[in-house]
Amino acid sequence: MYGKHSLEEALESAPHAIKKVFLSLDANEKALRDKLAKYAIPVNMLKSGREADRMVGADTAHQGVIAVIDTDTLMVDFKDFTKALSPSADTCLVLLDELTDPHNVGAIIRSAAAFGASGVLIPVHNQAPITGAVVKSSAGMVFRIPLISIGNVNYAIDKLKDLGFWTYALAMDGQKITQEEDFSKPSLFVIGNEGRGIRQKTLERCDTTLRIPMHPRCESLNASVSTAIVLYQWSVQHKNSLR
Amino acid sequence: MYGKHSLEEALESAPHAIKKVFLSLDANEKALRDKLAKYAIPVNMLKSGREADRMVGADTAHQGVIAVIDTDTLMVDFKDFTKALSPSADTCLVLLDELTDPHNVGAIIRSAAAFGASGVLIPVHNQAPITGAVVKSSAGMVFRIPLISIGNVNYAIDKLKDLGFWTYALAMDGQKITQEEDFSKPSLFVIGNEGRGIRQKTLERCDTTLRIPMHPRCESLNASVSTAIVLYQWSVQHKNSLR
């Protein structure tokens, strides 16, 4: 993970996940050092900005700040999560069906946090994991919203349906129009892979397919943009979830 | 510009903008060659994929297809654009106030095309220009929606207000809530720079500041996500614009 803002977010919301920090001389501020000392996080000094470039790539905006994060500690077990969950009409969850672009994953986590979702379900396999690029794209929101690891997408959907969730698939050719849906039950939004969409077996499990009306000159929206719009529309009808 | 899909979009919507194409051997398909020949576009063969890497960078998804585009031919002059424009309540425009991230610029152009905007106003100075990364992020929509070059943001706003446009500034601390606005006049949406937002002199010219309600755990939304949401909300109230 890299960047000053990301590290500050992590220190505030999930200091236990930070294993080690590398700082360049100009990023070595007293306030930051004090916070790192408070949580007994080991700090290594970097001799130059170029050393940071070598670690995370010259094209990343690391600002001389690199942190080693144990992303496992950020993830909540699905069983533990559902046990503690008491879903109401104001509860929504987002499930990622094998997304591959870390920027999309981060952006979706950011929107889920912004619009009051209770968590983001992330498959263990065939899915972009929580990397530095995801942390950055999420604007630190990976530390502020539960990320729930799931072994099997279809099993998770079945389980959540048992708990009363209504399952929505976001699809280009969805039967229902997003702004006409009333989202009256606890809602689970399933987001498909950027290329192939949602897998057939998963799609069959969903109660409703949702689409966003578009101008005919445009074939599709970016996965993170369409997710943000659906979550926005959901939040408009669930003001309590923004408290 | 790079990528097979981007080139196909350009061939379909703006062949005059393509000055030259470089193809690797495996991207050298007959259907593509025929189309390029039809518009008399010069083709240079690349000896290897690595040659393409050198041209646009190894981390870009060029797929062995690189095109040299004259982006000036994609831009419409503001004076010509406003002369031909007869705004109605179903007309909206997007104005970028010095955005710097090409991914945001491309994503906003894509959303503007998707939600039926009549054009995107792009300042000549201090603004990310239309590069290959913008074309890619726009999913080819740079070729399908008018891009209007403006010399001065404040002058353009004044001129559009004279033509009957109501000007909305997207701002974190906006007075009005997006979903409560009725967008009854031709609408101009002003999007601020990713870091500093909209400049003061520009903000003063806007009729209404709009915000998107968010959960307190989240400080902000990405500029392209908030723009997409406002344009979506506008399109919900202007179904004619999606025809």
Side-chain angles (χ1 to χ4, degrees):
Chain A
M1 192 187 80
Y2 47 85
K4 207 182 150 195
H5 182 73
S6 294
L7 177 58
E8 279 169 355
E9 273 292 336
L11 278 167
E12 205 180 302
S13 308
H16 59 281
I18 312 170
K19 294 300 148 200
K20 196 191 272 188
V21 168
F22 295 87
L23 292 180
S24 69
L25 283 173
D26 50 330
N28 183 27
E29 291 159 19
K30 192 176 177 310
L32 186 58
R33 289 294 296 255
D34 286 351
K35 263 194 235 172
L36 291 166
K38 185 178 154 193
Y39 296 109
I41 297 165
V43 177
N44 292 34
M45 293 309 296
L46 295 174
K47 283 190 206 83
S48 67
R50 239 190 279 166
E51 213 174 333
D53 287 352
R54 268 196 298 275
M55 290 176 74
V56 291
D59 56 341
T60 55
H62 55 67
Q63 305 163 297
V65 177
I66 296 170
V68 179
I69 296 282
D70 179 0
T71 52
D72 284 350
T73 64
L74 294 178
M75 303 297 290
V76 183
D77 180 65
F78 181 66
K79 217 169 160 181
D80 297 340
F81 178 76
T82 47
K83 213 179 278 178
L85 189 70
S86 50
S88 76
D90 288 330
T91 306
C92 93
L93 293 170
V94 176
L95 190 154
L96 308 182
D97 183 23
E98 305 189 347
L99 273 80
T100 51
D101 180 347
H103 296 287
N104 277 339
V105 174
I108 289 173
I109 291 169
R110 185 176 182 180
S111 298
F115 294 120
S118 298
V120 179
L121 301 154
I122 299 177
V124 178
H125 305 292
N126 305 322
Q127 158 77 32
I130 307 303
T131 58
V134 172
V135 174
K136 194 89 183 170
S137 297
S138 82
M141 288 304 121
V142 291
F143 304 117
R144 299 223 189 152
I145 181 170
L147 305 178
I148 304 110
S149 77
I150 51 174
N152 182 296
V153 166
N154 295 340
Y155 171 81
I157 292 176
D158 290 344
K159 199 76 198 165
L160 289 167
K161 284 173 84 168
D162 285 348
L163 290 172
F165 277 83
W166 192 261
T167 306
Y168 295 96
L170 271 63
M172 301 292 306
D173 54 354
Q175 315 140 294
K176 281 210 159 185
I177 289 175
T178 303
Q179 65 262 31
E180 289 173 2
E181 185 57 36
D182 58 2
F183 307 107
S184 54
K185 290 186 184 180
S187 299
L188 171 64
F189 297 106
V190 181
I191 319 301
N193 168 280
E194 295 91 347
R196 60 158 169 69
I198 298 173
R199 287 169 299 168
Q200 192 54 35
K201 289 272 178 217
T202 301
L203 203 55
E204 285 165 11
R205 279 176 163 78
C206 295
D207 299 301
T208 300
T209 53
L210 278 184
R211 71 184 170 90
I212 298 168
M214 278 186 300
H215 193 281
R217 72 182 153 194
C218 191
E219 284 90 27
S220 66
L221 286 169
N222 172 277
S224 66
V225 165
S226 46
T227 307
I229 287 171
V230 170
L231 291 173
Y232 160 78
Q233 187 66 64
W234 176 86
S235 82
V236 165
Q237 284 154 56
H238 295 275
K239 291 197 176 66
N240 288 334
S241 65
L242 297 187
R243 274 178 204 155
Chain B
M1 191 187 80
Y2 46 85
K4 207 181 149 195
H5 181 73
S6 293
L7 177 58
E8 280 169 354
E9 273 292 336
L11 277 167
E12 203 181 302
S13 308
H16 60 281
I18 312 171
K19 294 299 148 201
K20 196 191 272 189
V21 168
F22 295 87
L23 292 181
S24 69
L25 283 173
D26 51 327
N28 184 27
E29 291 158 20
K30 192 176 177 309
L32 186 58
R33 288 297 294 258
D34 286 351
K35 263 194 234 170
L36 291 166
K38 186 178 154 193
Y39 296 109
I41 297 165
V43 177
N44 292 34
M45 293 309 295
L46 295 174
K47 283 192 208 81
S48 69
R50 239 190 279 165
E51 215 174 333
D53 287 352
R54 269 196 297 275
M55 292 176 74
V56 291
D59 55 341
T60 56
H62 55 67
Q63 305 161 297
V65 177
I66 297 170
V68 179
I69 297 281
D70 179 0
T71 51
D72 284 351
T73 65
L74 295 177
M75 303 297 290
V76 183
D77 180 66
F78 181 67
K79 218 170 161 179
D80 297 339
F81 178 77
T82 47
K83 214 178 276 177
L85 190 70
S86 52
S88 76
D90 288 331
T91 306
C92 92
L93 293 170
V94 176
L95 190 155
L96 308 181
D97 183 24
E98 306 190 345
L99 273 78
T100 51
D101 180 347
H103 297 285
N104 277 338
V105 174
I108 289 173
I109 291 170
R110 185 176 183 181
S111 299
F115 295 120
S118 298
V120 179
L121 301 153
I122 300 177
V124 178
H125 306 292
N126 304 320
Q127 157 78 32
I130 306 302
T131 57
V134 172
V135 174
K136 193 91 182 167
S137 298
S138 82
M141 288 304 121
V142 291
F143 304 118
R144 298 221 190 153
I145 181 171
L147 304 178
I148 304 110
S149 78
I150 51 174
N152 183 297
V153 166
N154 295 339
Y155 171 81
I157 293 177
D158 290 344
K159 198 77 196 165
L160 289 166
K161 285 173 83 167
D162 285 349
L163 290 171
F165 277 83
W166 192 261
T167 306
Y168 295 95
L170 271 61
M172 300 292 306
D173 54 354
Q175 314 140 293
K176 281 212 161 185
I177 290 175
T178 303
Q179 65 263 33
E180 291 172 2
E181 185 58 35
D182 58 2
F183 306 108
S184 54
K185 291 186 184 180
S187 299
L188 171 64
F189 297 107
V190 181
I191 319 302
N193 169 278
E194 296 90 348
R196 59 160 168 70
I198 298 172
R199 287 168 298 169
Q200 192 54 34
K201 288 274 179 215
T202 301
L203 201 56
E204 285 165 12
R205 278 174 164 78
C206 295
D207 299 300
T208 299
T209 53
L210 278 184
R211 71 183 170 91
I212 298 168
M214 279 186 299
H215 194 281
R217 71 183 153 194
C218 191
E219 284 90 28
S220 66
L221 286 169
N222 172 278
S224 66
V225 166
S226 46
T227 306
I229 287 171
V230 170
L231 291 174
Y232 159 78
Q233 187 65 64
W234 176 84
S235 82
V236 165
Q237 285 155 54
H238 295 275
K239 292 195 174 67
N240 287 334
S241 65
L242 298 187
R243 276 179 203 155

